Amino acid sequence: MSIPLDNLVITGACGGLGSALAAEALARGAKVALVGLDLATLEALAAPAPGRCAIYTPDVSDSAAMQAMAEDWTGRFGSPDAVIANAGVAGGFDTAQACDLAVFRRILEINLLGVATTFQPFVAPMRERGRGMLAGIASLAGRRGLPGNGAYCASKGGLIRYLESLRAELRPNGVRVCTVSPGYLRTALTAGNRFAMPGLMAPEAAASAILRALSQGQEQLVLPRRLGWLSNALGLLPDAWHDALLLRQPRKPRAGDPGATPIPGLPADATSRAPAAPPESTVH
């Protein structure tokens, strides 16, 4: 099966993977809706192809704003062949800290709810046409909980299940749904990580693989493939062994910690909190 990718909507187009996806799609001659929060980055992306782009800066969890974006894009350029819900944030999480609950909520709003609000305006038109591709950028972290990273893992695990549900719903209508599960990409979201990142991949390589998979109508993509095999192998370990192995790794930086990436829309007091207990204290 060959799916045209001449008209795309890409959220998170300011980030490493989103920028790479947009740049490659534009280089191929596609029309691209650039959705993100950094206006300067989006303008730089659009500069080489001003007649084939439109820039939008909504909060992806705001359904009214996303509806308005979809209506404007469709009115100007027509219905998209594919919608890539790529917007996402990451941050460490400590359940013992009350202020971290705001971090959990915001990560879920962007990483999980944001995908549904991105897709929603396009589902009915795609059903009516009997074709289209909806792609959600999940993560291998959604397959297994990681100590100190519960909010992110929960958001991506929930996303994987949501995409499975949507795939089954839309299959009779000819609309494809693809779950993309990258491992570690060399982007701002991983720049502050202090733990090992096997299979670290350049966003440009990931973008090429994703667009190729979508054009072929694939429903599952793991990047890189060998990391998916490693994840499956680790999943066969007893839980106690798996947990002990992961507890030896440094934790993901929490909001406000050195190396943490900003989380848009996070209340200011979410970064004013007591320090978490060092993870070493839980290792025996």
Side-chain angles (χ1 to χ4, degrees), residues 29-42:
K31 298 183 287 290
V32 182
L34 301 171
V35 185
L37 296 178
D38 187 333
L39 182 60
T41 299
L42 298 179

Side-chain angles (χ1 to χ4, degrees), residues 1 10 43 46 56-57 79 88 93 113 120 124 136 168 201 240 242 249 262-263 278:
M1 171 182 291
I10 301 174
E43 289 175 339
Y56 304 95
T57 57
S79 297
F93 175 75
L113 176 62
Q120 187 275 321
M201 193 173 187
H242 193 278
Q249 297 292 321
I263 299 177

